[in-house]
Amino acid sequence: MSHTLASFVINKWDKRELVNAVLYISKTGCQWRMLPNDFPPYSTVWSFYRRANQSGLWDRILLALVQKNA
């Protein structure tokens, strides 16, 4: 049985926390490096946002949030 490295990766941060951090930056205009300590490290949030944006996931997240509030 072969296992890939991806099968052993454990997500340290909840995706909701990452989304909340990006929304906080968007709402407040805060610089990435000035993200409050209540959120995951800015480098983790930035990496999540960059990958989500490039893959189109970020657009789907925003659409789901808009539809939920409509």
Side-chain angles (χ1 to χ4, degrees), residues 21-51:
V22 175
L23 293 175
Y24 176 86
I25 289 172
S26 176
K27 182 176 181 178
T28 64
C30 170
Q31 296 177 358
W32 289 97
R33 290 179 184 257
M34 300 300 291
L35 191 63
N37 291 331
D38 297 341
F39 295 110
Y42 81 89
S43 57
T44 302
V45 176
W46 165 247
S47 178
F48 164 76
Y49 173 71
R50 182 178 48 81
R51 288 181 284 117

Side-chain angles (χ1 to χ4, degrees), residues 2-68:
S2 93
H3 294 284
T4 63
L5 182 60
S7 66
F8 293 107
V9 173
I10 298 173
N11 293 326
K12 183 175 181 180
W13 300 101
D14 182 40
K15 297 293 188 229
R16 182 63 192 201
E17 288 295 317
L18 296 170
V19 170
N20 286 342
V22 175
L23 293 175
Y24 176 86
I25 289 172
S26 176
K27 182 176 181 178
T28 64
C30 170
Q31 296 177 358
W32 289 97
R33 290 179 184 257
M34 300 300 291
L35 191 63
N37 291 331
D38 297 341
F39 295 110
Y42 81 89
S43 57
T44 302
V45 176
W46 165 247
S47 178
F48 164 76
Y49 173 71
R50 182 178 48 81
R51 288 181 284 117
N53 195 30
Q54 288 175 347
S55 70
L57 175 61
W58 188 249
D59 291 333
R60 293 192 304 273
I61 290 170
L62 293 179
L63 182 61
L65 289 172
V66 168
Q67 289 175 345
K68 181 178 179 181

